[in-house]
């Protein structure tokens, strides 16, 4: 399994992973990168086009895991300010004034769930952020208060995966939504 940035070369695998609906309801992993009104308006093809543009930009919008040619998983990672929707969240508002990068979303192919791929993607995201000069990576996973919790609704990841990847809780403004960080050295 290899994990690499989402670039033009990896775009076909990303499209395959997202499927005909574009991930979760036409999101194409743009939910956090747009205001609610923009996202609702752009669901589907516009979101697909916008993430494709990001895949061609200098800073890829995330990382894709490939098992040979088969897409296995995705993690969206960028500087926090790329995720405009975080700014309007009372629960996920900034913890402090430090410059952080954020993990906003995951998509793990059904055949690859419950195998530790989210942890591997988080480790790869830490390496990616470090190479970009970032020093703190933050995530906003779900800490479910009931089990089993459907993986399809945990697109921000599970807190347990972040903890296994060395992230520590720095804030919790909701019983099920901790903010976890890892300081990168």
């Amino acid at each position: 399994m290899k994990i690499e940035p989402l670039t033009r070369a990896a775009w076909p695998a990303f499209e395959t992973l997202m499927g005909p609906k574009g991930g979760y309801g036409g999101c194409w992993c743009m939910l956090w990168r747009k205001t609610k009104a923009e996202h609702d308006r752009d669901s589907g093809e516009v979101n697909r086009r916008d993430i494709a543009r990001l895949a061609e930009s200098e800073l890829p919008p995330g990382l894709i895991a490939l098992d040979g040619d088969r897409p296995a998983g995705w993690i969206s990672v960028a500087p926090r300010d790329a995720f405009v929707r975080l700014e309007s969240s009372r629960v996920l508002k900034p913890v402090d004034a430090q410059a952080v990068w954020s993990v906003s979303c995951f998509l793990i192919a059904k055949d690859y769930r419950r195998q530790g791929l989210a942890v591997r993607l988080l480790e790869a995201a830490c390496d990616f952020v470090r190479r970009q000069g970032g020093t703190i990576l933050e995530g906003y996973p779900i800490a479910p208060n009931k089990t089993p919790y459907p993986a399809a609704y945990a697109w921000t990841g599970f807190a347990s995966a972040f903890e296994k990847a060395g992230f520590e809780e720095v804030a919790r403004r909701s019983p099920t939504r901790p903010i976890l960080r890892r300081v990168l050295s």
Side-chain angles (χ1 to χ4, degrees):
M1 178 110 34
K2 66 180 178 176
I3 299 174
E4 63 185 53
L6 176 60
T7 60
R8 176 183 282 181
W11 179 256
F14 179 74
E15 276 190 307
T16 298
L17 181 66
M18 287 288 148
K21 293 182 181 178
Y24 303 106
C27 177
W28 287 96
C29 214
M30 292 298 293
L31 175 85
W32 297 101
R33 293 176 186 269
K34 296 182 174 189
T35 65
K36 180 176 180 355
E38 290 169 336
H39 186 268
D40 291 348
R41 178 194 70 216
D42 297 346
S43 184
E45 181 56 29
V46 175
N47 281 340
R48 187 193 72 74
R49 218 174 34 240
D50 290 346
I51 193 89
R53 269 194 224 109
L54 291 174
E56 294 182 3
S57 68
E58 188 175 316
L59 181 62
L63 307 172
I64 187 161
L66 300 166
D67 184 5
D69 292 344
R70 190 172 178 202
W74 157 256
I75 186 170
S76 177
V77 59
R80 182 184 165 96
D81 62 6
F83 301 113
V84 298
R85 199 141 180 201
L86 288 173
E87 296 308 311
S88 64
S89 174
R90 291 183 316 246
V91 172
L92 304 177
K93 66 185 178 186
V95 172
D96 52 37
Q98 294 190 74
V100 301
W101 285 61
S102 298
V103 168
S104 65
C105 298
F106 291 84
L107 180 60
I108 309 292
K110 196 176 253 186
D111 293 348
Y112 293 92
R113 293 180 187 158
R114 300 185 191 278
Q115 297 177 30
L117 183 54
V119 175
R120 290 182 64 190
L121 283 163
L122 284 164
E123 292 288 351
C126 289
D127 292 340
F128 175 76
V129 169
R130 199 177 291 113
R131 286 192 308 271
Q132 306 306 315
T135 58
I136 301 172
L137 183 57
E138 191 172 84
Y140 319 101
I142 187 79
N145 55 8
K146 61 181 178 178
T147 55
Y149 191 87
Y153 296 120
W155 58 84
T156 57
F158 286 106
S160 58
F162 281 83
E163 291 162 355
K164 287 175 186 170
F167 286 69
E168 296 180 1
E169 187 171 323
V170 293
R172 186 183 292 239
R173 300 179 185 112
S174 162
T176 60
R177 295 298 270 205
I179 297 175
L180 288 99
R181 279 186 180 174
R182 182 167 158 185
V183 176
L184 309 173
S185 50

